[in-house]
Amino acid sequence: MRMKEALKAKLCITCGGPPIASKEHELSIQKMEEQNIRLKEEVEKASTLLARYTRKEISQLEFEQSIAQTKAFARNLDIEIPLRQETGGSSSHNHNHAMPVKEPKSSGDVEKSIISQIAAVAMNELVTLVRINEPFWVDSSSVEDEISTLSHEIYEQTFPKPNHFKGENVVKESSKYTSHVNINSMELIDMLLDPVKWAKLFPTIVSKSETIKVFENGLMGNRDGALQLMYEQMHILSPLVQPREFTIIRYCKQIDVRTWVITDVSYDSSLREISPPTRSWKHPSGCLIRELSVDFCSVTWVEHVELDDKMHTHHLYKYLIDINNLYGAKSWIKELQRMCEKSASFYVQRIPDQESEGGYNFSTLLYK
């Protein structure tokens, strides 16, 4: 939030330059268009002069004088047009070659830089929360649950950050849970990074999911470095429960040979006016996936959200959501296990359809 406030005063998120008053914006756009037209003309002129000089139609002095005028115009716009000077083998002439115009940093580069920094900080926090139990996590009183809840006092001392919501209706939910899942690790990672497969993988939790923008697809074969901006909606199928909406950054990082971390963290969508800010905020959450065998992996899930429950969850569901932590880490893992078991159940034995001298020919098929 501090970074966002600082950027508002120093940087225009749309163009990457200094902020411009609204009254001056239209005049500034018109002036920039005129300058761009003039600059293109100068670059074309420089290219023509270079071609004429190469064919020895003009002298070196005439060429240098003309190029100096183009560079002077570019300097007035604070844009550099460097010209590389090369010397031919035995020739005494210097041949100047026009280089491309240096473009100012685009808004896409600025946005990607900001999101990359947020994702890296969130991933470091998530890895710390996954690997260290005490003093961050407090085990459940029930031995069967094996669920850990976050000690908010210790957490806020270690990772200080502003509260996004204030008032008596603010609810904080946090949990950590680890279990084994019968699925190939890379197949699971690909499903988590695909919004359609993501929603199908958790049908009782995720009601809607879409990718807003992909910044990095990640390396081929392991998806290391995948970075994208996503929208997701979580909803128990009842009108008595308010949906939870998040605009999140999803970041995949391979931290060793057989271990990946997928981090989710909320992004202030008001910066880009993607959608109205929702009353749900996701602190660094996600999962650590450790490959145990070809089709078996260990998954540790962390879920940490902050909510402004203005509508007050109906008492019929309050026990399920608050006490049983229906949106918590254990629910995500259990749903993942159920869907993987369902996929495995598609292994069926086909009725023999061919008879040979030695008996029947049996085969097993996987239906996807």
Side-chain angles (χ1 to χ4, degrees):
M1 297 299 290
R2 291 177 181 173
M3 288 173 63
K4 185 188 76 170
E5 293 300 323
L7 283 171
K8 281 183 178 178
K10 301 291 183 182
L11 184 69
C12 173
I13 299 301
T14 304
C15 69
I20 302 173
S22 56
K23 293 182 180 179
E24 301 176 10
H25 184 263
E26 187 175 346
L27 182 62
S28 177
I29 292 295
Q30 183 180 355
K31 183 179 179 181
M32 288 173 63
E33 289 175 350
E34 293 173 354
Q35 289 176 341
N36 282 338
I37 292 172
R38 177 71 189 281
L39 185 59
K40 287 178 182 178
E41 292 174 352
E42 293 294 331
V43 170
E44 289 175 1
K45 186 190 297 182
S47 299
T48 303
L49 288 168
L50 176 61
R52 292 185 62 192
Y53 174 69
T54 304
R55 295 193 298 267
K56 298 183 179 180
E57 295 178 0
I58 58 175
S59 66
Q60 181 178 348
L61 179 61
E62 291 175 318
F63 174 76
E64 290 179 350
Q65 288 176 344
S66 300
I67 290 298
Q69 294 176 2
T70 301
K71 293 180 76 173
F73 177 76
R75 279 194 297 271
N76 291 334
L77 299 183
D78 197 25
I79 298 175
E80 182 183 0
I81 307 181
L83 293 173
R84 183 176 63 217
Q85 194 174 58
E86 296 177 354
T87 305
S90 59
S91 174
S92 60
H93 295 287
N94 291 331
H95 298 280
N96 294 324
H97 301 277
M99 297 293 287
V101 176
K102 182 179 177 181
E103 297 288 346
K105 196 171 185 180
S106 68
S107 59
D109 291 335
V110 173
E111 181 186 41
K112 181 180 177 181
S113 177
I114 294 171
I115 285 180
S116 297
Q117 292 177 38
I118 295 172
V121 172
M123 190 207 69
N124 289 333
E125 179 179 319
L126 180 62
V127 170
T128 301
L129 294 178
V130 167
R131 290 183 164 175
I132 301 176
N133 288 324
E134 295 181 357
F136 293 111
W137 297 98
V138 179
D139 292 335
S140 171
S141 57
S142 172
V143 178
E144 296 179 357
D145 282 346
E146 298 179 359
I147 301 173
S148 300
T149 56
L150 194 63
S151 171
H152 290 285
E153 182 179 353
I154 301 297
Y155 171 80
E156 289 168 5
Q157 289 176 1
T158 310
F159 304 106
K161 51 175 68 79
N163 292 326
H164 291 84
F165 310 121
K166 296 181 180 179
E168 58 182 13
N169 300 319
V170 175
V171 177
K172 294 182 180 181
E173 297 177 359
S174 60
S175 56
K176 181 171 76 167
Y177 187 75
T178 301
S179 191
H180 294 156
V181 181
N182 185 19
I183 190 173
N184 176 270
S185 56
M186 278 313 307
E187 183 180 354
L188 175 57
I189 290 166
D190 287 334
M191 295 175 78
L192 296 179
L193 294 173
D194 185 309
V196 176
K197 293 179 180 178
W198 162 260
K200 290 182 178 179
L201 194 59
F202 303 97
T204 63
I205 302 176
V206 180
S207 56
K208 187 177 180 181
S209 177
E210 61 184 31
T211 300
I212 298 170
K213 191 171 185 179
V214 175
F215 296 97
E216 293 288 346
N217 283 313
L219 297 177
M220 291 290 291
N222 63 6
R223 303 302 300 271
D224 179 44
L227 180 67
Q228 57 195 39
L229 192 63
M230 297 179 63
Y231 165 81
E232 67 174 3
Q233 182 185 84
M234 300 191 302
H235 189 207
I236 298 172
L237 298 180
S238 170
L240 301 177
V241 180
Q242 185 182 16
R244 299 181 177 185
E245 297 178 274
F246 299 94
T247 300
I248 59 171
I249 301 166
R250 179 159 292 175
Y251 179 46
C252 176
K253 184 70 177 174
Q254 185 176 17
I255 57 176
D256 63 40
V257 178
R258 293 189 174 185
T259 308
W260 291 262
V261 175
I262 293 184
T263 308
D264 289 347
V265 62
S266 278
Y267 179 63
D268 190 350
S269 59
S270 61
L271 284 174
R272 281 178 44 85
E273 298 181 354
I274 297 166
S275 61
T278 62
R279 306 302 292 174
S280 308
W281 187 267
K282 182 166 287 194
H283 295 290
S285 304
C287 59
L288 182 143
I289 302 167
R290 182 176 289 108
E291 182 182 284
L292 302 178
S293 64
V294 176
D295 293 318
F296 205 62
C297 58
S298 170
V299 179
T300 299
W301 201 286
V302 170
E303 195 69 13
H304 185 195
V305 299
E306 185 179 330
L307 311 163
D308 186 1
D309 188 14
K310 280 190 172 181
M311 292 180 64
H312 297 289
T313 302
H314 195 277
H315 66 87
L316 291 175
Y317 290 91
K318 194 170 184 64
Y319 179 83
L320 287 172
I321 295 174
D322 295 348
I323 308 301
N324 287 349
N325 206 353
L326 199 60
Y327 287 114
K330 186 175 181 179
S331 294
W332 289 92
I333 293 282
K334 291 299 181 183
E335 183 71 359
L336 177 59
Q337 289 174 327
R338 279 194 293 268
M339 294 304 293
C340 292
E341 289 169 4
K342 180 180 178 181
S343 177
S345 70
F346 284 123
Y347 281 96
V348 295
Q349 188 177 38
R350 194 175 66 182
I351 298 174
D353 57 358
Q354 183 178 1
E355 185 177 358
S356 62
E357 294 180 358
Y360 292 97
N361 184 15
F362 294 92
S363 62
T364 302
L365 298 177
L366 169 63
Y367 296 94
K368 292 186 177 180

